[in-house]
Amino acid sequence: MVSTSTQIAGFHFENCLMNAAGIYCMTKEELMEIENSQAGSFITKTGTLEARSGNPEPRYSATSLGSINSMGLPNLGFHYYLDFVRELEKEESSKNHFLSVVGLSPDETHLILKEIQASDYQGLVELNLSCPNVPGKPQIAYDFEMTENILSDIFSYYKKPLGIKLPPYFDIVHFDQAASIFNKFPLSFVNCINSIGNGLVIDDEQVVIKPKQGFGGIGGDYIKPTALANVHAFYQRLNPSIQIIGTGGVKSGRDAFEHILCGASMVQIGTALQEEGPAIFSRILKELEEIMLEKGYHSLEDFRGKLHYLS
Ligand code: DHB
């Protein structure tokens, strides 16, 4: 028997696969497609204080190796998603879920989190510190001082389970600096990684998306090595109480296996879910179970974080 069940901050999941924020999660209808698939959970589109229509289209484009997007945080407002997960989780048999949020300023982020703190929602929240696509707004998580200040303010009033979505880091010193900040706070998890920000894809002589003269976040095959490195770097550095969610370049059971081997407790699927649809979860789950069976692993704990090094 093989089990891919997992837990984050004590919340149980029947299996470790789910959507990445931004994919199949804008409306209740899309979220219900993930809910009714083989996914172990879903996360909502990142909700802001007010609804947003986002950047002009086309704002997502796929290539044979992945995707580029500059959506610009289109969403129905965080209340819509908060109300929806509260509604769903009233059912005893409901899966557990993740609510993704961020404000367009620190003040807005605090307004949102204070409202969630005051609500009866007891579930998981992912604070998105890594949106690369809103013109004029830098990614919070690339500014370590701002990140520490925001987290410090948040944890003065926020007492529910909270994790953060991170952009990729590319320097060992940055892994060290980021981890030493995150270790100061009672975070439930970090999610590595968001898209590699501000890449450029060209078709013939022209960019493929309209916003920002074609610049956008890169996902898919392009980013798996960067994602695995970030998952493992934080697995090596963070307090064991801070779990890791692995996101980036997952389109097969083998990719999910690698994320777990690097230390992930849950694995999210972005570009490949967008391209293949929610049936992808049963395929990847089956492929992951086959790999575990072949290797004689019964549970994710048998190999999580146990990456082999060359001696
Ligand atoms: C968007 C993109 C992101 O990578 C993110 O984390 C949040 C929002 C967007 O463009 O909508």
Side-chain angles (χ1 to χ4, degrees):
M1 273 302 291
V2 162
S3 166
T4 57
S5 72
T6 190
Q7 60 87 27
I8 298 281
F11 291 87
H12 176 82
F13 301 94
E14 201 47 49
N15 74 69
C16 61
L17 301 180
M18 61 185 291
N19 66 306
I23 308 297
Y24 270 89
C25 59
M26 179 81 86
T27 61
K28 293 176 190 182
E29 289 72 28
E30 286 183 344
L31 287 163
M32 282 312 293
E33 283 197 62
I34 306 297
E35 183 74 356
N36 294 327
S37 77
Q38 287 298 302
S41 182
F42 69 60
I43 184 165
T44 67
K45 176 66 183 168
T46 299
T48 49
L49 195 57
E50 306 291 345
R52 292 169 53 85
S53 54
N55 293 338
E57 295 180 341
R59 54 193 187 180
Y60 169 94
S61 180
T63 75
S64 57
L65 294 174
S67 65
I68 183 166
N69 84 84
S70 182
M71 306 298 288
L73 263 175
N75 76 93
L76 297 166
F78 89 98
H79 284 115
Y80 175 94
Y81 305 105
L82 176 60
D83 290 347
F84 183 57
V85 287
R86 283 173 58 231
E87 188 66 33
L88 267 188
E89 293 183 14
K90 275 186 196 145
E91 295 294 324
E92 189 94 353
S93 60
S94 169
K95 297 175 187 176
N96 290 309
H97 304 102
F98 295 74
L99 180 66
S100 171
V101 297
V102 76
L104 294 180
S105 65
D107 282 353
E108 258 194 45
T109 296
H110 296 312
L111 278 174
I112 293 168
L113 288 176
K114 282 180 180 170
E115 212 172 303
I116 298 171
Q117 174 65 34
S119 79
D120 62 3
Y121 179 63
Q122 303 298 341
L124 293 157
V125 172
E126 178 175 285
L127 174 65
N128 187 353
L129 297 183
S130 51
C131 175
N133 297 334
V134 182
K137 302 272 175 195
Q139 289 194 41
I140 299 166
Y142 282 153
D143 180 337
F144 289 144
E145 196 182 324
M146 163 102 92
T147 296
E148 180 159 4
N149 287 337
I150 284 198
L151 291 176
S152 174
D153 290 343
I154 287 170
F155 284 110
S156 71
Y157 62 83
Y158 198 81
K159 306 298 172 195
K160 293 177 175 179
L162 182 74
I164 48 179
K165 179 76 170 278
L166 298 177
Y169 297 101
F170 302 96
D171 193 293
I172 300 297
V173 170
H174 293 162
F175 291 138
D176 292 341
Q177 291 172 339
S180 80
I181 293 168
F182 303 147
N183 276 333
K184 294 181 188 176
F185 300 101
L187 287 163
S188 295
F189 65 88
V190 302
N191 184 344
C192 306
I193 58 173
N194 207 317
S195 51
I196 294 184
N198 295 301
L200 197 50
V201 170
I202 297 170
D203 179 29
D204 188 13
E205 297 187 14
Q206 185 166 282
V207 302
V208 297
I209 55 173
K210 188 165 178 183
K212 293 174 61 177
Q213 298 184 320
F215 285 66
I218 304 296
D221 296 358
Y222 299 112
I223 75 166
K224 190 177 75 168
T226 298
L228 294 175
N230 277 259
V231 168
H232 198 55
F234 285 107
Y235 183 77
Q236 291 171 315
R237 288 168 177 76
L238 293 181
N239 303 332
S241 59
I242 307 181
Q243 293 180 271
I244 321 279
I245 298 177
T247 307
V250 176
K251 66 174 186 191
S252 69
R254 172 69 203 184
D255 300 324
F257 179 82
E258 290 177 9
H259 270 272
I260 297 159
L261 197 64
C262 287
S265 290
M266 192 104 197
V267 176
Q268 297 187 338
I269 307 175
T271 299
L273 168 60
Q274 180 63 39
E275 295 307 307
E276 194 172 326
I280 196 172
F281 292 108
S282 58
R283 175 177 69 76
I284 295 188
L285 202 56
K286 184 160 157 277
E287 292 170 2
L288 176 60
E289 287 168 352
E290 279 167 7
I291 292 168
M292 289 172 64
L293 203 60
E294 206 176 281
K295 290 178 172 283
Y297 294 143
H298 301 286
S299 71
L300 303 189
E301 288 72 46
D302 290 346
F303 63 101
R304 177 182 300 122
K306 296 184 180 164
L307 179 63
H308 297 196
Y309 308 127
L310 302 182
S311 46

